[in-house]
Amino acid sequence: MSKTDTAAPAPVTASKTFHSCNPAQQHLFAVRPGVSVEDAIEVASCLLASALHTVRGAAVEHDDEILFGAIFQLEAVKAIVDAADLAAPAENQEGGE
């Protein structure tokens, strides 16, 4: 038996609903199960980058300290998501941006 025969399968997403849309708190959207976690993390990073861009613009325009706090929180989550990039070799993850 070769090494590739015993390799663990690549991790995939589970179903996770989000965005309640009515008083009954029914969720309208969901993450689909079975998508490569690597692909899901890449998309999450792109969505976080877009959210950061939007919130930074609003924070500067309105000089709003609450929005500046949201920037910090989004930056922290994006850093975690980017650090969890499963495609990057471990030696490239340390200390890089």
Side-chain angles (χ1 to χ4, degrees):
M1 185 184 288
S2 72
K3 280 188 169 183
T4 56
D5 292 339
T6 61
V12 296
T13 57
S15 179
K16 176 67 177 166
T17 59
F18 64 97
H19 190 73
S20 57
C21 64
N22 57 26
Q25 298 297 305
Q26 290 178 297
H27 290 112
L28 184 59
F29 299 109
V31 173
R32 294 186 54 193
V35 175
S36 155
V37 169
E38 180 181 328
D39 292 340
I41 287 174
E42 182 178 339
V43 170
S45 178
C46 292
L47 291 170
L48 286 166
S50 178
L52 268 166
H53 179 77
T54 301
V55 174
R56 275 192 188 113
V60 169
E61 183 177 328
H62 300 289
D63 193 26
D64 187 324
E65 64 186 46
I66 293 173
L67 289 174
F68 283 111
I71 290 169
F72 176 81
Q73 293 170 346
L74 286 167
E75 286 174 337
V77 172
K78 184 163 180 355
I80 292 166
V81 167
D82 291 350
D85 182 3
L86 301 175
E91 63 271 9
N92 290 340
Q93 289 182 356
E94 291 185 23
E97 280 192 49

Coordinates of all heavy atoms in Angstrom, one line a residue:
M1 N 0.9 -1.2 0.0 CA 0.0 0.0 0.0 C 0.9 1.2 0.0 O 1.8 1.4 0.8 CB -0.9 0.0 1.2 CG -1.9 1.1 1.2 SD -2.9 1.2 2.7 CE -4.0 -0.2 2.6
S2 N 0.6 2.2 -0.9 CA 1.4 3.4 -0.9 C 1.0 4.4 0.1 O -0.1 4.3 0.7 CB 1.3 4.0 -2.3 OG 0.0 4.6 -2.5
K3 N 1.8 5.4 0.3 CA 1.5 6.5 1.3 C 0.2 7.2 0.9 O -0.5 7.6 1.8 CB 2.7 7.5 1.4 CG 3.8 7.0 2.3 CD 4.8 8.2 2.5 CE 5.8 7.8 3.5 NZ 6.7 8.9 3.8
T4 N 0.0 7.4 -0.3 CA -1.2 8.2 -0.7 C -2.5 7.4 -0.4 O -3.5 8.1 -0.3 CB -1.1 8.5 -2.2 OG1 -1.0 7.3 -3.0 CG2 0.0 9.4 -2.6
D5 N -2.4 6.1 -0.3 CA -3.6 5.3 0.0 C -4.1 5.6 1.5 O -5.2 5.4 1.8 CB -3.4 3.8 -0.2 CG -3.2 3.5 -1.6 OD1 -3.6 4.3 -2.5 OD2 -2.6 2.5 -1.9
T6 N -3.2 6.0 2.4 CA -3.5 6.2 3.8 C -3.7 7.6 4.1 O -3.9 7.9 5.3 CB -2.4 5.5 4.7 OG1 -1.2 6.2 4.4 CG2 -2.3 4.0 4.5
A7 N -3.5 8.5 3.2 CA -3.6 9.9 3.5 C -5.0 10.3 3.9 O -6.0 9.7 3.3 CB -3.2 10.8 2.3
A8 N -5.2 11.2 4.8 CA -6.5 11.6 5.3 C -7.1 12.4 4.2 O -6.4 13.2 3.5 CB -6.4 12.4 6.6
P9 N -8.4 12.3 4.0 CA -9.1 13.2 3.0 C -9.0 14.6 3.4 O -8.9 15.0 4.6 CB -10.5 12.7 3.0 CG -10.7 12.0 4.3 CD -9.3 11.5 4.7
A10 N -9.0 15.5 2.4 CA -8.9 17.0 2.7 C -10.2 17.4 3.4 O -11.3 16.9 3.2 CB -8.8 17.7 1.4
P11 N -10.0 18.3 4.4 CA -11.2 18.7 5.2 C -12.2 19.5 4.3 O -11.8 20.2 3.4 CB -10.6 19.5 6.3 CG -9.2 19.9 5.8 CD -8.8 18.9 4.9
V12 N -13.4 19.3 4.7 CA -14.5 20.0 3.9 C -15.4 20.7 4.9 O -15.4 20.4 6.1 CB -15.3 19.0 3.0 CG1 -14.5 18.4 1.9 CG2 -16.0 17.9 3.8
T13 N -16.2 21.6 4.4 CA -17.1 22.4 5.3 C -18.3 21.5 5.7 O -18.7 20.5 5.0 CB -17.7 23.6 4.5 OG1 -18.3 23.2 3.3 CG2 -16.6 24.6 4.2
A14 N -18.9 21.9 6.8 CA -20.2 21.4 7.3 C -21.2 22.4 6.9 O -20.9 23.6 6.7 CB -20.2 21.1 8.8
S15 N -22.5 22.1 7.0 CA -23.6 23.0 6.8 C -23.7 24.0 8.0 O -23.6 23.5 9.1 CB -24.9 22.3 6.6 OG -25.9 23.2 6.4
K16 N -23.8 25.3 7.7 CA -23.9 26.2 8.8 C -24.8 27.4 8.3 O -24.5 28.1 7.3 CB -22.6 26.8 9.2 CG -22.6 27.9 10.2 CD -23.1 27.4 11.5 CE -23.0 28.5 12.6 NZ -23.7 28.2 13.8
T17 N -26.0 27.5 8.9 CA -26.9 28.5 8.4 C -26.6 29.9 9.1 O -25.9 29.9 10.1 CB -28.4 28.1 8.8 OG1 -28.4 28.0 10.2 CG2 -28.8 26.9 8.1
F18 N -27.0 30.9 8.4 CA -26.8 32.3 8.9 C -27.8 33.3 8.3 O -28.5 33.0 7.4 CB -25.3 32.8 8.7 CG -25.0 32.9 7.2 CD1 -25.0 34.2 6.6 CD2 -24.6 31.8 6.4 CE1 -24.7 34.3 5.3 CE2 -24.3 32.0 5.1 CZ -24.3 33.2 4.5
H19 N -27.9 34.4 8.9 CA -28.7 35.6 8.5 C -30.2 35.3 8.7 O -30.9 34.9 7.8 CB -28.4 36.0 7.1 CG -29.1 37.3 6.8 ND1 -28.7 38.5 7.3 CD2 -30.2 37.6 6.0 CE1 -29.5 39.5 6.9 NE2 -30.4 39.0 6.1
S20 N -30.6 35.5 9.9 CA -32.1 35.3 10.2 C -32.8 36.5 9.5 O -32.3 37.6 9.4 CB -32.3 35.3 11.7 OG -31.9 36.5 12.3
C21 N -34.0 36.2 9.0 CA -34.7 37.1 8.2 C -36.1 37.5 8.6 O -36.8 38.1 7.9 CB -34.7 36.6 6.7 SG -35.6 35.0 6.6
N22 N -36.5 37.0 9.7 CA -37.9 37.3 10.1 C -38.0 37.1 11.7 O -37.1 36.7 12.3 CB -38.9 36.4 9.4 CG -38.6 34.9 9.6 OD1 -38.1 34.5 10.6 ND2 -39.0 34.1 8.6
P23 N -39.2 37.5 12.2 CA -39.4 37.4 13.7 C -39.2 35.9 14.2 O -38.8 35.8 15.4 CB -40.8 37.9 13.9 CG -41.1 38.8 12.7 CD -40.4 38.1 11.6
A24 N -39.4 34.9 13.4 CA -39.2 33.6 13.8 C -37.7 33.2 13.8 O -37.4 32.0 14.1 CB -40.0 32.6 12.9
Q25 N -36.9 34.1 13.4 CA -35.4 33.9 13.3 C -35.0 32.7 12.4 O -34.0 32.0 12.6 CB -34.9 33.6 14.8 CG -35.1 34.8 15.7 CD -34.3 36.0 15.3 OE1 -33.1 36.0 15.1 NE2 -35.0 37.1 15.1
Q26 N -35.8 32.6 11.3 CA -35.4 31.6 10.3 C -34.2 32.1 9.6 O -34.1 33.3 9.2 CB -36.5 31.3 9.3 CG -37.7 30.6 9.9 CD -38.8 30.5 8.8 OE1 -39.3 31.5 8.4 NE2 -39.1 29.3 8.5
H27 N -33.2 31.2 9.3 CA -32.0 31.6 8.6 C -32.3 31.5 7.1 O -32.8 30.5 6.6 CB -30.9 30.7 9.0 CG -30.4 31.0 10.4 ND1 -30.5 30.1 11.4 CD2 -29.8 32.1 10.9 CE1 -30.1 30.6 12.5 NE2 -29.6 31.8 12.2
L28 N -31.8 32.5 6.4 CA -32.0 32.6 4.9 C -30.9 31.9 4.1 O -31.1 31.4 3.0 CB -32.2 34.0 4.5 CG -32.5 34.3 3.1 CD1 -33.9 33.7 2.7 CD2 -32.6 35.8 2.9
F29 N -29.7 32.0 4.6 CA -28.5 31.5 3.9 C -27.8 30.4 4.7 O -28.0 30.2 5.8 CB -27.6 32.7 3.7 CG -28.2 33.8 2.9 CD1 -28.5 35.0 3.5 CD2 -28.4 33.6 1.5 CE1 -29.0 36.0 2.7 CE2 -29.0 34.7 0.8 CZ -29.3 35.9 1.4
A30 N -26.9 29.7 3.9 CA -26.2 28.6 4.6 C -24.8 28.4 3.8 O -24.8 28.6 2.6 CB -26.9 27.3 4.6
V31 N -23.8 28.0 4.6 CA -22.6 27.5 4.0 C -22.9 26.1 3.6 O -23.5 25.3 4.3 CB -21.5 27.5 5.0 CG1 -20.2 26.8 4.5 CG2 -21.1 28.9 5.5
R32 N -22.6 25.7 2.4 CA -22.9 24.4 1.9 C -21.9 23.4 2.4 O -20.7 23.7 2.5 CB -22.9 24.4 0.3 CG -24.0 25.3 -0.2 CD -24.1 25.2 -1.7 NE -24.2 23.8 -2.1 CZ -24.1 23.3 -3.3 NH1 -23.8 24.2 -4.3 NH2 -24.2 22.1 -3.6
P33 N -22.4 22.2 2.7 CA -21.5 21.2 3.2 C -20.7 20.6 2.0 O -21.1 20.6 0.9 CB -22.4 20.1 3.8 CG -23.7 20.3 3.1 CD -23.8 21.8 2.7
G34 N -19.5 20.1 2.3 CA -18.7 19.4 1.3 C -17.7 20.2 0.5 O -17.0 19.7 -0.3
V35 N -17.7 21.6 0.8 CA -16.8 22.4 0.0 C -15.4 22.3 0.7 O -15.3 22.3 1.9 CB -17.3 23.9 0.1 CG1 -16.3 24.8 -0.6 CG2 -18.6 24.0 -0.6
S36 N -14.4 22.3 -0.1 CA -13.0 22.3 0.5 C -12.8 23.4 1.5 O -13.2 24.6 1.2 CB -12.0 22.5 -0.7 OG -10.8 23.0 -0.3
V37 N -12.3 23.1 2.6 CA -12.0 24.1 3.7 C -11.0 25.1 3.1 O -11.1 26.3 3.4 CB -11.6 23.5 5.0 CG1 -11.0 24.5 6.0 CG2 -12.7 22.7 5.6
E38 N -10.1 24.7 2.4 CA -9.1 25.6 1.8 C -9.8 26.6 0.9 O -9.5 27.8 1.0 CB -8.1 24.8 0.9 CG -7.1 25.6 0.2 CD -6.1 24.7 -0.6 OE1 -5.9 23.5 -0.3 OE2 -5.7 25.2 -1.6
D39 N -10.7 26.2 0.1 CA -11.5 27.2 -0.8 C -12.3 28.1 0.1 O -12.4 29.3 -0.2 CB -12.4 26.4 -1.8 CG -11.6 25.7 -2.8 OD1 -10.4 26.0 -3.0 OD2 -12.1 24.8 -3.4
A40 N -13.0 27.5 1.1 CA -13.8 28.4 2.0 C -13.0 29.4 2.7 O -13.5 30.6 2.9 CB -14.6 27.4 3.0
I41 N -11.8 29.1 3.2 CA -11.0 30.0 3.9 C -10.5 31.1 2.9 O -10.5 32.3 3.3 CB -9.8 29.3 4.5 CG1 -10.3 28.5 5.8 CG2 -8.7 30.3 5.0 CD1 -9.2 27.6 6.4
E42 N -10.2 30.8 1.7 CA -9.8 31.8 0.7 C -10.9 32.8 0.5 O -10.7 34.0 0.4 CB -9.4 31.1 -0.6 CG -8.9 32.1 -1.6 CD -8.5 31.4 -2.9 OE1 -8.2 30.2 -2.9 OE2 -8.4 32.2 -3.9
V43 N -12.2 32.3 0.3 CA -13.3 33.2 0.1 C -13.5 34.0 1.3 O -13.8 35.2 1.2 CB -14.6 32.4 -0.3 CG1 -15.8 33.3 -0.3 CG2 -14.4 31.7 -1.7
A44 N -13.4 33.4 2.5 CA -13.6 34.2 3.8 C -12.6 35.3 3.9 O -13.0 36.4 4.3 CB -13.5 33.2 5.0
S45 N -11.4 35.1 3.5 CA -10.4 36.1 3.5 C -10.7 37.2 2.6 O -10.6 38.4 2.9 CB -9.0 35.5 3.2 OG -8.0 36.5 3.2
C46 N -11.2 36.9 1.4 CA -11.6 38.0 0.4 C -12.8 38.8 1.0 O -12.8 40.0 0.8 CB -11.9 37.3 -0.9 SG -10.5 36.6 -1.7
L47 N -13.7 38.1 1.6 CA -14.9 38.8 2.1 C -14.5 39.7 3.3 O -15.0 40.9 3.4 CB -16.0 37.8 2.6 CG -16.7 37.1 1.5 CD1 -17.5 35.9 2.1 CD2 -17.5 38.0 0.6
L48 N -13.6 39.3 4.1 CA -13.1 40.1 5.2 C -12.3 41.3 4.7 O -12.4 42.4 5.2 CB -12.2 39.2 6.1 CG -13.0 38.3 7.0 CD1 -12.0 37.3 7.7 CD2 -13.7 39.1 8.1
A49 N -11.5 41.1 3.6 CA -10.8 42.2 3.0 C -11.7 43.3 2.5 O -11.5 44.5 2.7 CB -9.9 41.7 1.9
S50 N -12.8 42.9 1.9 CA -13.8 43.8 1.4 C -14.5 44.5 2.6 O -14.7 45.7 2.5 CB -14.9 43.0 0.6 OG -15.9 43.9 0.1
A51 N -14.9 43.8 3.6 CA -15.5 44.4 4.8 C -14.6 45.4 5.4 O -15.0 46.5 5.8 CB -15.9 43.3 5.8
L52 N -13.3 45.1 5.5 CA -12.3 46.0 6.1 C -12.2 47.3 5.3 O -12.2 48.4 5.8 CB -10.9 45.3 6.2 CG -10.6 44.6 7.4 CD1 -9.3 43.7 7.3 CD2 -10.3 45.6 8.6
H53 N -12.2 47.2 4.0 CA -12.1 48.3 3.1 C -13.3 49.2 3.4 O -13.2 50.5 3.5 CB -12.1 47.9 1.7 CG -12.0 49.0 0.7 ND1 -10.9 49.7 0.5 CD2 -13.0 49.5 -0.1 CE1 -11.1 50.7 -0.4 NE2 -12.4 50.6 -0.8
T54 N -14.5 48.6 3.4 CA -15.7 49.4 3.6 C -15.8 50.1 5.0 O -16.1 51.3 5.1 CB -17.0 48.5 3.5 OG1 -16.9 47.9 2.2 CG2 -18.3 49.2 3.7
V55 N -15.4 49.4 6.0 CA -15.5 49.9 7.4 C -14.4 51.0 7.6 O -14.6 52.0 8.2 CB -15.4 48.8 8.5 CG1 -15.3 49.4 9.9 CG2 -16.6 47.9 8.4
R56 N -13.2 50.8 7.0 CA -12.1 51.8 7.1 C -12.6 53.1 6.4 O -12.4 54.2 7.0 CB -10.9 51.3 6.4 CG -10.0 50.5 7.2 CD -8.6 50.3 6.5 NE -7.8 49.4 7.3 CZ -7.5 48.2 6.8 NH1 -7.8 47.8 5.6 NH2 -6.8 47.4 7.6
G57 N -13.2 53.0 5.3 CA -13.8 54.2 4.6 C -14.8 54.9 5.5 O -14.7 56.1 5.6
A58 N -15.7 54.2 6.0 CA -16.7 54.8 6.9 C -16.1 55.4 8.1 O -16.5 56.5 8.6 CB -17.8 53.7 7.3
A59 N -15.1 54.7 8.7 CA -14.5 55.2 10.0 C -13.8 56.5 9.7 O -13.9 57.5 10.5 CB -13.5 54.2 10.5
V60 N -13.1 56.6 8.6 CA -12.3 57.8 8.3 C -13.3 59.0 7.9 O -13.2 60.1 8.4 CB -11.4 57.6 7.1 CG1 -10.8 58.9 6.6 CG2 -10.2 56.6 7.6
E61 N -14.3 58.6 7.1 CA -15.3 59.7 6.7 C -16.0 60.2 7.9 O -16.3 61.4 8.0 CB -16.3 59.1 5.7 CG -17.3 60.1 5.2 CD -18.2 59.5 4.1 OE1 -17.7 58.6 3.4 OE2 -19.3 59.9 4.0
H62 N -16.4 59.4 8.9 CA -17.2 59.8 10.0 C -16.4 60.0 11.3 O -17.0 60.4 12.3 CB -18.3 58.8 10.3 CG -19.2 58.7 9.1 ND1 -20.1 59.7 8.7 CD2 -19.4 57.7 8.2 CE1 -20.8 59.3 7.6 NE2 -20.3 58.1 7.3
D63 N -15.1 59.8 11.3 CA -14.2 59.9 12.5 C -14.9 59.2 13.7 O -15.1 59.8 14.7 CB -13.9 61.3 12.8 CG -12.8 61.4 13.8 OD1 -12.0 60.5 13.9 OD2 -12.7 62.4 14.5
D64 N -15.3 57.9 13.5 CA -16.1 57.2 14.4 C -15.3 56.2 15.2 O -14.8 55.2 14.6 CB -17.3 56.5 13.7 CG -18.3 55.9 14.6 OD1 -17.9 55.3 15.7 OD2 -19.5 55.9 14.3
E65 N -15.1 56.3 16.5 CA -14.2 55.4 17.2 C -14.8 54.0 17.3 O -14.1 53.1 17.4 CB -13.9 56.0 18.6 CG -15.1 56.1 19.5 CD -14.8 56.8 20.8 OE1 -14.1 57.9 20.8 OE2 -15.2 56.3 21.9
I66 N -16.1 53.9 17.3 CA -16.7 52.6 17.3 C -16.3 51.8 16.0 O -16.0 50.6 16.0 CB -18.3 52.6 17.4 CG1 -18.6 53.1 18.8 CG2 -18.9 51.3 17.2 CD1 -20.1 53.4 19.1
L67 N -16.4 52.5 14.9 CA -15.9 51.9 13.6 C -14.5 51.6 13.6 O -14.0 50.5 13.1 CB -16.3 52.8 12.4 CG -17.8 53.0 12.1 CD1 -18.0 54.0 11.0 CD2 -18.3 51.6 11.7
F68 N -13.6 52.4 14.2 CA -12.2 52.1 14.4 C -12.0 50.8 15.2 O -11.1 50.0 14.9 CB -11.4 53.3 14.9 CG -11.2 54.3 13.9 CD1 -11.8 55.6 14.0 CD2 -10.3 54.1 12.8 CE1 -11.5 56.6 13.1 CE2 -10.1 55.1 11.9 CZ -10.7 56.4 12.0
G69 N -12.9 50.6 16.2 CA -12.8 49.4 17.0 C -13.2 48.2 16.1 O -12.7 47.1 16.2
A70 N -14.2 48.4 15.3 CA -14.6 47.3 14.4 C -13.5 47.0 13.4 O -13.3 45.8 13.0 CB -15.9 47.7 13.6
I71 N -12.7 47.9 13.0 CA -11.6 47.7 12.1 C -10.6 46.7 12.8 O -10.1 45.8 12.2 CB -10.9 49.0 11.7 CG1 -11.7 49.8 10.8 CG2 -9.5 48.7 11.1 CD1 -11.2 51.2 10.5
F72 N -10.3 47.0 14.1 CA -9.4 46.1 14.8 C -9.9 44.7 14.9 O -9.2 43.7 14.7 CB -9.2 46.7 16.2 CG -8.3 45.8 17.1 CD1 -7.0 45.8 17.0 CD2 -8.9 44.9 18.0 CE1 -6.2 44.9 17.7 CE2 -8.1 44.0 18.7 CZ -6.8 44.0 18.6
Q73 N -11.2 44.6 15.2 CA -11.8 43.2 15.2 C -11.8 42.5 13.9 O -11.4 41.3 13.8 CB -13.3 43.3 15.7 CG -13.4 43.8 17.2 CD -14.8 44.1 17.6 OE1 -15.7 44.3 16.7 NE2 -15.0 44.3 18.9
L74 N -12.1 43.2 12.8 CA -12.0 42.6 11.5 C -10.6 42.2 11.1 O -10.3 41.2 10.5 CB -12.6 43.5 10.4 CG -14.1 43.7 10.4 CD1 -14.6 44.8 9.6 CD2 -14.7 42.4 9.9
E75 N -9.6 43.1 11.5 CA -8.2 42.8 11.2 C -7.8 41.5 12.0 O -7.1 40.7 11.4 CB -7.3 44.0 11.6 CG -7.4 45.1 10.6 CD -6.6 46.3 11.1 OE1 -6.3 46.5 12.3 OE2 -6.2 47.1 10.3
A76 N -8.2 41.4 13.2 CA -7.9 40.2 14.0 C -8.4 39.0 13.4 O -7.7 38.0 13.2 CB -8.4 40.4 15.4
V77 N -9.7 39.0 13.0 CA -10.3 37.8 12.4 C -9.7 37.5 11.1 O -9.4 36.3 10.8 CB -11.8 38.0 12.2 CG1 -12.4 36.9 11.5 CG2 -12.5 38.1 13.6
K78 N -9.4 38.5 10.2 CA -8.7 38.3 9.0 C -7.3 37.7 9.2 O -6.9 36.7 8.4 CB -8.6 39.5 8.1 CG -8.0 39.2 6.7 CD -8.3 40.3 5.8 CE -7.7 40.1 4.4 NZ -6.9 39.0 4.1
A79 N -6.6 38.1 10.2 CA -5.3 37.6 10.5 C -5.4 36.1 10.8 O -4.6 35.3 10.4 CB -4.6 38.4 11.6
I80 N -6.4 35.7 11.6 CA -6.6 34.3 12.0 C -6.9 33.5 10.8 O -6.3 32.4 10.5 CB -7.7 34.2 13.1 CG1 -7.2 34.8 14.4 CG2 -8.1 32.8 13.3 CD1 -8.3 35.1 15.4
V81 N -7.8 34.0 9.9 CA -8.2 33.3 8.7 C -7.0 33.1 7.8 O -6.8 32.0 7.3 CB -9.4 34.0 8.0 CG1 -9.6 33.4 6.6 CG2 -10.7 33.9 8.8
D82 N -6.3 34.2 7.6 CA -5.1 34.1 6.7 C -4.0 33.2 7.3 O -3.4 32.5 6.5 CB -4.5 35.5 6.5 CG -5.5 36.4 5.6 OD1 -6.4 35.8 5.0 OD2 -5.2 37.6 5.5
A83 N -3.9 33.2 8.6 CA -2.9 32.3 9.2 C -3.3 30.8 9.1 O -2.4 29.9 9.1 CB -2.7 32.7 10.7
A84 N -4.6 30.6 8.9 CA -5.1 29.2 8.8 C -5.1 28.7 7.4 O -5.6 27.7 7.1 CB -6.5 29.1 9.4
D85 N -4.5 29.4 6.5 CA -4.4 29.0 5.1 C -3.8 27.7 4.9 O -2.6 27.5 5.2 CB -3.6 30.1 4.3 CG -3.6 29.8 2.8 OD1 -4.2 28.8 2.3 OD2 -3.0 30.5 2.0
L86 N -4.6 26.7 4.6 CA -4.1 25.3 4.5 C -3.2 25.1 3.3 O -2.5 24.1 3.3 CB -5.3 24.4 4.5 CG -6.3 24.5 5.7 CD1 -7.5 23.6 5.4 CD2 -5.6 24.1 6.9
A87 N -3.3 25.9 2.3 CA -2.5 25.7 1.1 C -1.1 26.2 1.2 O -0.2 25.7 0.5 CB -3.1 26.5 -0.1
A88 N -0.8 27.1 2.1 CA 0.6 27.6 2.3 C 1.4 26.7 3.1 O 1.0 26.2 4.1 CB 0.5 29.0 2.9
P89 N 2.7 26.5 2.6 CA 3.6 25.7 3.4 C 3.8 26.3 4.8 O 3.8 27.5 4.9 CB 4.9 25.7 2.6 CG 4.5 26.1 1.2 CD 3.2 26.9 1.4
A90 N 4.0 25.5 5.8 CA 4.2 26.0 7.2 C 5.3 27.0 7.3 O 5.2 28.0 8.0 CB 4.4 24.9 8.1
E91 N 6.4 26.8 6.6 CA 7.5 27.8 6.7 C 7.2 29.2 6.1 O 7.8 30.2 6.5 CB 8.8 27.2 6.0 CG 8.7 27.0 4.5 CD 8.2 25.6 4.1 OE1 7.7 24.9 5.0 OE2 8.2 25.3 2.9
N92 N 6.2 29.3 5.2 CA 5.8 30.6 4.7 C 4.8 31.3 5.6 O 4.5 32.5 5.4 CB 5.2 30.4 3.3 CG 6.2 30.0 2.3 OD1 7.4 30.2 2.5 ND2 5.8 29.4 1.2
Q93 N 4.2 30.6 6.5 CA 3.1 31.2 7.4 C 3.8 32.0 8.5 O 3.2 32.9 9.0 CB 2.2 30.1 7.9 CG 1.3 29.5 6.8 CD 0.4 28.5 7.4 OE1 0.4 28.2 8.6 NE2 -0.5 28.0 6.6
E94 N 4.9 31.6 9.0 CA 5.5 32.2 10.2 C 5.9 33.6 9.9 O 6.8 33.9 9.0 CB 6.6 31.4 10.7 CG 6.2 30.1 11.3 CD 7.3 29.3 11.9 OE1 8.3 29.9 12.3 OE2 7.2 28.1 12.0
G95 N 5.4 34.6 10.6 CA 5.8 36.0 10.5 C 5.4 36.7 9.2 O 5.7 37.8 9.1
G96 N 4.8 36.0 8.3 CA 4.4 36.7 7.0 C 3.1 37.4 7.0 O 2.3 37.1 7.9
E97 N 2.9 38.2 6.0 CA 1.6 38.9 5.9 C 1.1 38.5 4.6 O 1.7 38.4 3.6 CB 1.8 40.4 6.0 CG 1.8 40.8 7.5 CD 1.7 42.3 7.6 OE1 0.7 42.9 7.1 OE2 2.5 42.9 8.3

